[in-house]
């Protein structure tokens, strides 16, 4: 088979290249993706119309165009996106220049690199399965080239066999090979890469941008019972400073102040939290954390932060208690959490006076504000109206409709206007239970804002004003159906599928459970987790790790080699012509003539004819039939039958031509 002219091979190879490049179309610049697939389609056309392929001058022009697009789209050469685009462009240009078999090898090698680069963008189990599949197709193309047979089915089978044979060795290396973390300065960071999630400031309505996002924020697996859904508040940034519209953390977070240690009571919940990559070092612990791993620490507002790189998926061990008392409030905390920009407007002052009427305890004032939200025509919506000026007053007296951030901001402002310390807390509320894997999925749609009020004798106490207006916020499905109808309810991650759709829910949860295990045990298998896992097996220290690695490789190589040798012996084809010729040689051995090592059939026949001239005719016939069947261009079964008959009919009398044999000293 001429690999350079075989259409089946080229169609197979180009299909594999197209499948490998396809996932990159979602994150690389559009002009570069279009350039690549135009070149790929052009090469497909060239399979049937070789004259349509570009000549040398046009190829130079295409190369210049590709390089210009690279520079124009990325304004540089280093980094994840520029590097991937460079390999994609080089691959597309190389497709147009295939003159030798080694060019096909180069295309395959570039395609393997492009396939591996996909893991720089997505590391899900689905993507891993997809990349293994397309690499199997590419490997099958390589098998087809080397075997010089255009048999797609046999090549795919051979490629899968090679991959299965390599799998055990891959597992051994994955488990035992020392994992070295690259220093951050060595990594090419992409400052323009966008990540969704909560921000370090809040304006009324800002969290509503995440309300329809199904993107995963983090996953939690509890050891033991899971707290009630209404208690699942995952603490994030705390905002104490406001300019009347925007809420932020304030300068006290920059001083490195440590929080006072709360007093905890009630049950303690232990859980493993798997954070998705983000652009902030925030870890959303269940409010309030009582213990956490060494790589975590708390700021002055009890928010958890990590010392790890936040743009990587990370796992943390934490414990939390739902009942706590944060204790006394320092003077600077009092000032910070009663701060209001400017003077309180007459409308708000009049409202506060009415709400404080007859109250002596802070809890009573909180109850009155909650009752005001519930009974005075306030409503909950994901599409609040714009409030450019005086957003608090506009919300309280005009629009009376908003998202959780509107209610939290207005509630805190009213408490501060009444000289009660209060602050806004953002994070996530609730979560979707995966019944198959037994873990919670918290998505961006679960982003939430609530309030904390300092109460004497109790410390900081959480209040959720949104619950006063929309208690169904806990059941997102019913709320979405009320707001948008069934046509948009499918966007809610906590949808409760019933009846005939139960199998779909189970299948979805099974897949997400597998992906959760994949992320924890494969993607998150970094150096620290490796040391913990090997220590549980009694393997501690770098030396033992290397010994086990070498031993595993040696044992696997020995077992695989023995298996392959045994299979080769079993699968060794039986040559019937050789078997028949061996019978012929055995007959001659019985009469004193043994074929010599390296002696060909014709030389052996000549020696036989000298000793037994009377057998010259039958021996020449046997030799001719054997050579024609085994080495001829068109052997037939009839030749094999004639050879078998000629050998069976050969008869050698005992003692014949003994004189001749003695004379020639055979």
């Amino acid at each position: 088979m001429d690999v350079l002219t075989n259409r089946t091979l080229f169609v197979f190879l180009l299909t594999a290249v197209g499948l490998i490049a396809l996932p990159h179309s979602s994150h690389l610049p559009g002009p570069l993706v279009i350039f690549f697939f135009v070149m790929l389609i052009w090469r497909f056309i060239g399979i049937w119309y070789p004259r349509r392929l570009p000549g040398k001058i046009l190829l130079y022009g295409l190369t210049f165009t590709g390089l210009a697009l690279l520079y124009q789209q990325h304004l540089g050469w280093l980094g994840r996106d520029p590097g991937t685009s460079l390999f994609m462009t080089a691959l597309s240009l190389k497709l147009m220049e295939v003159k030798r078999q080694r060019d096909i090898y180069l295309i395959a090698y570039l395609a393997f690199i492009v396939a591996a680069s996909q893991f720089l963008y997505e590391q899900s189990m689905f993507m891993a399965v997809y990349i293994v599949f397309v690499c199997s197709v590419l490997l099958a193309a390589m098998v087809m080239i080397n075997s010089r047979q255009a048999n797609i089915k046999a090549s795919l089978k051979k490629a899968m066999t090679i991959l299965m044979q390599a799998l055990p060795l891959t597992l051994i290396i994955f488990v035992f090979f020392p994992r070295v973390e690259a220093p951050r300065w060595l990594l090419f960071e992409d400052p323009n890469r966008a990540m969704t999630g909560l921000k370090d400031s809040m304006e009324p309505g800002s969290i509503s941008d995440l309300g329809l996002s199904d993107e995963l924020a983090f996953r939690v697996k509890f050891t033991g019972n899971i707290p009630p859904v209404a208690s699942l508040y995952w603490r994030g940034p705390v905002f104490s400073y406001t300019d009347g519209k925007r809420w932020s953390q304030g300068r006290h977070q920059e001083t490195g102040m440590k929080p006072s240690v709360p007093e905890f009571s009630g049950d303690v919940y232990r859980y493993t939290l798997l954070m998705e990559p983000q652009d902030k070092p925030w870890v959303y612990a269940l409010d309030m954390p009582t213990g956490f791993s060494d790589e975590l620490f708390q700021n002055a507002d009890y928010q958890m932060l990590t010392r790890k790189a936040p743009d990587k998926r990370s796992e943390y061990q934490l414990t939390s208690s739902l009942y706590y008392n944060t204790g006394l409030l320092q003077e600077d905390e009092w000032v910070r959490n009663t701060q209001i920009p400017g003077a309180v407007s007459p409308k708000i002052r009049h409202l506060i006076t009415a709400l404080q009427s007859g109250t002596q305890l802070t809890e009573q004032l909180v109850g009155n504000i909650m009752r005001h939200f519930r009974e005075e025509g306030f409503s909950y919506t994901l599409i609040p109206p714009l409030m450019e000026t005086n957003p608090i007053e506009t919300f309280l007296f005009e629009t009376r409709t908003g998202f959780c951030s509107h209610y939290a901001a207005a509630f805190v402002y009213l408490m501060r206007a009444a000289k009660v310390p209060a602050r806004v807390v953002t994070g996530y509320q609730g979560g979707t239970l995966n019944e198959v894997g037994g873990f919670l999925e918290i998505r961006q749609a679960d982003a939430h804002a609530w309030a904390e009020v300092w109460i004497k004798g109790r410390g900081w106490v959480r209040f959720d004003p949104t619950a006063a207006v929309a208690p169904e916020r806990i059941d997102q499905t019913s709320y979405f159906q009320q707001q948008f109808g069934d046509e948009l309810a499918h966007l809610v991650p906590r949808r409760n599928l019933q009846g005939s759709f139960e199998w779909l829910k189970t299948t979805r949860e099974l897949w997400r459970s597998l992906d959760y295990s994949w992320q924890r045990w494969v993607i998150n298998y970094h150096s620290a987790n490796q040391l913990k896992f090997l220590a549980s097996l009694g393997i501690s220290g770098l030396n033992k790790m290397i010994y086990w690695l070498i031993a595993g490789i040696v044992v696997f190589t020995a077992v695989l080699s023995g298996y392959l040798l045994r299979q080769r012996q079993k699968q060794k084809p039986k040559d019937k012509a050789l078997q028949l010729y061996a019978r012929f040689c055995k007959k001659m051995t019985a009469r004193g003539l043994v074929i010599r090592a390296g002696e060909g059939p014709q030389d052996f026949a000549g020696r036989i004819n000298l000793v037994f001239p009377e057998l010259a005719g039958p021996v020449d016939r046997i030799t001719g039939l054997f050579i024609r069947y085994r080495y001829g261009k068109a052997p037939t079964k009839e030749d094999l039958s004639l050879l078998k008959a000629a050998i069976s009919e050969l008869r050698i009398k005992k003692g014949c031509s003994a004189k001749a044999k003695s004379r020639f000293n055979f």
Side-chain angles (χ1 to χ4, degrees):
M1 180 186 73
D2 186 356
V3 296
L4 297 178
T5 59
N6 187 273
R7 291 180 177 178
T8 302
L9 169 63
F10 267 97
V11 169
F12 198 64
L13 178 64
L14 295 179
T15 301
V17 170
L19 290 174
I20 285 174
L22 187 60
H24 285 294
S25 60
S26 63
H27 44 250
L28 292 184
L32 286 172
V33 174
I34 293 173
F35 179 81
F36 177 87
F37 282 101
V38 166
M39 301 290 278
L40 181 65
I41 294 172
W42 195 346
R43 191 61 188 84
F44 262 112
I45 296 173
I47 296 175
W48 290 274
Y49 304 98
R51 294 183 179 179
R52 301 290 177 88
L53 294 174
K56 183 178 294 186
I57 297 178
L58 182 55
L59 192 58
Y60 282 136
L62 291 172
T63 303
F64 177 80
T65 302
L67 293 175
L69 283 174
L70 277 173
Y71 184 78
Q72 189 271 331
Q73 292 297 320
H74 294 290
L75 300 179
W77 305 103
L78 299 178
R80 181 192 62 173
D81 291 349
T84 304
S85 299
L86 178 62
F87 279 108
M88 285 269 288
T89 305
L91 177 58
S92 64
L93 291 170
K94 191 59 186 176
L95 290 174
M96 312 304 291
E97 185 187 24
V98 180
K99 297 180 179 179
R100 302 177 182 85
Q101 186 169 326
R102 68 178 184 181
D103 293 330
I104 299 180
Y105 289 132
L106 182 57
I107 289 172
Y109 298 151
L110 286 171
F112 279 124
I113 294 174
V114 172
S117 66
Q118 178 59 38
F119 290 117
L120 298 174
Y121 297 90
E122 184 178 352
Q123 299 175 350
S124 66
M125 189 172 64
F126 171 79
M127 185 54 63
V129 172
Y130 180 83
I131 294 301
V132 169
F133 166 72
V134 294
C135 286
S136 300
V137 176
L138 187 58
L139 183 59
M142 300 291 289
V143 170
M144 197 181 300
I145 294 171
N146 286 277
S147 64
R148 296 185 176 273
Q149 293 180 358
N151 189 328
I152 295 178
K153 184 177 180 181
S155 299
L156 284 171
K157 183 178 179 181
K158 186 68 173 179
M160 294 304 299
T161 302
I162 294 173
L163 289 176
M164 293 305 296
Q165 290 171 351
L167 182 60
L169 182 60
T170 304
L171 292 176
I172 292 173
I173 296 175
F174 176 80
V175 173
F176 293 104
F177 193 85
R179 310 182 83 81
V180 180
E181 303 291 336
R184 290 191 61 80
W185 60 266
L186 194 60
L187 301 176
F188 295 118
E189 302 291 346
D190 185 2
N192 297 321
R193 182 173 52 179
M195 291 186 179
T196 60
L198 296 174
K199 306 300 180 183
D200 54 5
S201 63
M202 185 195 78
E203 295 183 16
S206 60
I207 298 180
S208 63
D209 296 338
L210 303 175
L212 289 173
S213 174
D214 195 44
E215 185 175 345
L216 196 63
F218 56 94
R219 283 169 283 198
V220 180
K221 189 175 182 65
F222 283 89
T223 301
N225 295 330
I226 300 177
V229 174
S231 301
L232 294 176
Y233 282 83
W234 309 97
R235 191 180 189 88
V238 179
F239 302 134
S240 300
Y241 176 78
T242 180
D243 60 2
K245 180 178 180 181
R246 182 173 177 267
W247 293 78
S248 59
Q249 291 180 301
R251 294 180 179 179
H252 71 287
Q253 293 295 356
E254 302 174 1
T255 63
M257 295 175 54
K258 294 184 178 181
S260 59
V261 179
E263 295 180 1
F264 296 99
S265 61
D267 295 333
V268 174
Y269 295 92
R270 293 176 173 82
Y271 55 97
T272 300
L273 191 149
L274 183 63
M275 288 292 306
E276 292 297 304
Q278 55 176 343
D279 56 1
K280 301 292 183 182
W282 300 337
V283 175
Y284 298 92
L286 181 65
D287 205 6
M288 173 73 71
T290 63
F292 39 85
S293 48
D294 295 337
E295 62 267 25
L296 298 176
F297 65 97
Q298 282 183 315
N299 63 16
D301 294 327
Y302 302 101
Q303 180 191 359
M304 299 300 309
L305 297 98
T306 179
R307 296 182 177 91
K308 292 183 178 180
D311 56 348
K312 295 182 179 179
R313 187 176 288 102
S314 300
E315 187 176 82
Y316 306 98
Q317 306 294 327
L318 299 101
T319 58
S320 293
S321 176
L322 303 181
Y323 303 99
Y324 53 89
N325 187 330
T326 60
L328 299 176
L329 195 65
Q330 301 296 325
E331 183 178 353
D332 60 332
E333 290 183 282
W334 182 284
V335 173
R336 186 167 57 250
N337 291 288
T338 55
Q339 172 264 333
I340 290 179
V344 178
S345 69
K347 281 187 176 182
I348 294 181
R349 177 61 61 191
H350 178 74
L351 176 61
I352 285 295
T353 301
L355 293 173
Q356 284 183 308
S357 177
T359 64
Q360 296 181 349
L361 301 175
T362 302
E363 291 92 330
Q364 292 175 322
L365 176 59
V366 170
N368 288 343
I369 296 176
M370 294 288 196
R371 190 178 303 108
H372 178 76
F373 284 151
R374 186 168 54 251
E375 296 177 354
E376 295 299 324
F378 286 85
S379 61
Y380 183 77
T381 180
L382 285 175
I383 312 177
L386 293 177
M387 306 174 195
E388 295 294 337
T389 57
N390 300 323
I392 300 294
E393 189 169 326
T394 302
F395 170 73
L396 287 172
F397 301 106
E398 297 179 20
T399 63
R400 298 197 178 194
T401 182
F403 194 57
C404 59
S405 56
H406 293 84
Y407 286 95
F411 177 87
V412 170
Y413 189 91
L414 291 174
M415 295 301 298
R416 291 186 176 190
K419 304 299 182 182
V420 177
R423 59 192 184 186
V424 175
V425 183
T426 58
Y428 296 86
Q429 196 279 322
T432 306
L433 176 62
N434 186 301
E435 297 178 2
V436 176
F439 60 90
L440 290 173
E441 294 176 313
I442 293 85
R443 300 183 177 274
Q444 297 299 343
D446 297 313
H448 194 49
W450 58 94
E452 280 187 337
V453 177
W454 189 83
I455 299 177
K456 186 176 181 180
R458 298 175 62 186
W460 287 108
V461 180
R462 179 179 63 243
F463 293 98
D464 192 347
T466 304
V469 180
E472 68 275 11
R473 165 68 173 79
I474 301 300
D475 182 5
Q476 288 276 19
T477 302
S478 61
Y479 173 73
F480 270 68
Q481 289 174 338
Q482 293 173 10
Q483 291 290 315
F484 303 107
D486 291 337
E487 66 274 9
L488 287 183
H490 70 280
L491 295 174
V492 185
R494 283 178 287 201
R495 183 181 182 184
N496 184 21
L497 300 175
Q498 298 292 338
S500 60
F501 291 100
E502 191 66 29
W503 67 270
L504 183 60
K505 175 176 178 287
T506 303
T507 303
R508 182 187 61 182
E509 290 187 351
L510 176 60
W511 175 257
R512 289 179 175 175
S513 179
L514 291 174
D515 184 69
Y516 175 65
S517 299
W518 168 265
Q519 298 293 346
R520 286 194 65 193
W521 301 111
V522 179
I523 303 302
N524 206 41
Y525 190 68
H526 49 65
S527 56
N529 285 346
Q530 183 187 43
L531 293 175
K532 291 179 183 178
F533 174 72
L534 295 180
S536 67
L537 300 178
I539 305 172
S540 58
L542 181 62
N543 291 339
K544 284 189 177 181
M545 188 187 306
I546 294 176
Y547 293 154
W548 276 87
L549 174 64
I550 295 174
I553 293 175
V554 170
V555 171
F556 169 74
T557 303
V559 171
L560 181 60
S561 300
Y563 172 78
L564 293 177
L565 289 173
R566 188 175 179 183
Q567 290 297 110
R568 177 172 292 184
Q569 292 296 329
K570 287 183 177 180
Q571 298 175 1
K572 188 175 181 180
K574 296 181 179 180
D575 193 321
K576 294 183 179 179
L578 279 178
Q579 291 178 336
L580 291 174
Y581 191 74
R583 283 174 54 188
F584 165 70
C585 293
K586 187 177 181 180
K587 283 188 175 186
M588 302 312 302
T589 301
R591 294 300 176 263
L593 283 177
V594 180
I595 188 169
R596 298 167 180 169
E599 188 175 27
Q602 290 182 336
D603 293 336
F604 187 42
R607 193 155 59 89
I608 294 171
N609 293 339
L610 289 175
V611 179
F612 304 112
E614 68 277 8
L615 299 178
V619 169
D620 288 341
R621 177 172 172 76
I622 290 171
T623 303
L625 288 170
F626 171 71
I627 292 175
R628 184 168 67 185
Y629 182 80
R630 195 156 197 281
Y631 304 106
K633 292 184 178 180
T636 63
K637 292 184 177 180
E638 184 180 357
D639 293 333
L640 188 65
S641 299
L642 293 174
L643 176 61
K644 182 178 181 180
I647 294 173
S648 299
E649 295 172 359
L650 181 65
R651 296 289 184 270
I652 305 174
K653 296 179 181 180
K654 291 183 180 181
C656 71
S657 299
K659 292 181 180 180
K661 180 179 179 181
S662 174
R663 181 177 60 187
F664 289 102
N665 194 26
F666 286 102

